[in-house]
């Protein structure tokens, strides 16, 4: 998991996320965008033999009123690669154990907006904050899809891993 740097012009500032970003004109496909962004943000060079699945397009940012189409690609790695963060965009990273993320007793409910303190969101505690929102939904989607023997009983309202994410 990557923790985005604080940036007042970024609506996802300071949040946990998977590597990702906008497609450049030099990217021949969204998969190329995924490979480039992953390398740029955390220094991980993904190999084609590690590619597992492309998920259908989903929209992030709905609660902000700026729905943004996102394509999720799943790669499975055989080892933890060294991480080299792009410090202008990413402040930290951490590996979450698959068992921890899949254990529904670790999922908590928290208000994530000071404007709506009564509205609770499911989230997963991490060492430097909470995994919530679109990133949480993506994590739960992948666990339920690929790791059903360890999938959480938590069900999504609408719904990179080895043994770690």
């Amino acid at each position: 998991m990557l923790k985005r740097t604080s940036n007042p012009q970024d609506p996802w500032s300071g949040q946990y996320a998977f590597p990702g970003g906008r497609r450049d004109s030099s990217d021949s496909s969204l998969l190329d965008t995924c490979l480039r962004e992953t390398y740029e943000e955390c220094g991980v060079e993904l190999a084609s033999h590690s590619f597992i699945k492309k998920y259908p397009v989903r929209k992030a940012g709905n609660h902000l009123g700026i729905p943004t189409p996102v394509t999720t690609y799943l790669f499975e790695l055989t080892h933890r690669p060294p991480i080299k963060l792009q410090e202008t965009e990413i402040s930290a990273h951490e590996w979450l154990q698959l068992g921890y993320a899949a254990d529904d007793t670790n999922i908590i409910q928290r208000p994530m907006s000071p404007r709506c303190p009564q509205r609770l969101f499911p989230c997963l505690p991490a060492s430097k904050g909470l995994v919530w929102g679109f990133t949480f939904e993506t994590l739960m989607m992948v666990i339920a899809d690929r790791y059903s023997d360890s999938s959480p009983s938590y069900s999504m309202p609408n719904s990179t891993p080895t043994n770690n994410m």
Side-chain angles (χ1 to χ4, degrees):
M1 301 293 309
L2 302 178
K3 186 157 174 71
R4 299 173 64 84
T5 58
S6 293
N7 176 348
Q9 297 175 339
D10 178 358
W12 295 280
S13 175
Q15 303 297 323
Y16 277 99
F18 293 107
R22 298 193 189 284
R23 184 175 183 175
D24 283 351
S25 58
S26 62
D27 298 331
S28 62
S29 67
L30 288 175
L31 179 58
D32 284 346
T33 303
C34 168
L35 299 173
R36 178 184 53 76
E37 287 285 348
T38 301
Y39 184 74
E40 286 177 4
E41 291 184 358
C42 61
V44 174
E45 201 163 347
L46 297 170
S48 59
H49 68 271
S50 300
F51 174 73
I52 301 298
K53 184 174 185 175
K54 174 184 173 183
Y55 287 89
V57 174
R58 296 168 37 246
K59 299 220 174 175
N62 292 321
H63 72 285
L64 297 172
I66 49 170
T68 305
V70 175
T71 303
T72 301
Y73 292 90
L74 176 65
F75 287 78
E76 290 183 341
L77 307 178
T78 58
H79 66 284
R80 285 188 187 185
I83 303 295
K84 184 176 183 335
L85 298 179
Q86 181 184 31
E87 294 174 357
T88 56
E89 290 190 32
I90 309 298
S91 64
H93 81 283
E94 81 178 87
W95 295 95
L96 294 178
Q97 293 294 321
L98 179 59
Y100 171 78
D103 183 348
D104 65 328
T105 64
N106 292 321
I107 298 170
I108 61 174
Q109 303 282 324
R110 290 290 184 270
M112 301 309 281
S113 169
R115 294 179 309 219
C116 302
Q118 71 284 3
R119 184 169 180 206
L120 302 178
F121 290 85
C123 48
L124 185 69
S127 67
K128 297 181 188 315
L130 299 169
V131 178
W132 73 287
F134 187 81
T135 302
F136 175 84
E137 290 177 9
T138 301
L139 180 60
M140 294 299 114
M141 174 187 73
V142 169
I143 289 171
D145 177 48
R146 297 291 302 173
Y147 307 100
S148 58
D149 60 329
S150 61
S151 66
S153 61
Y154 175 81
S155 62
M156 296 309 301
N158 4 312
S159 287
T160 2
T162 56
N163 284 333
N164 301 289
M165 298 201 175

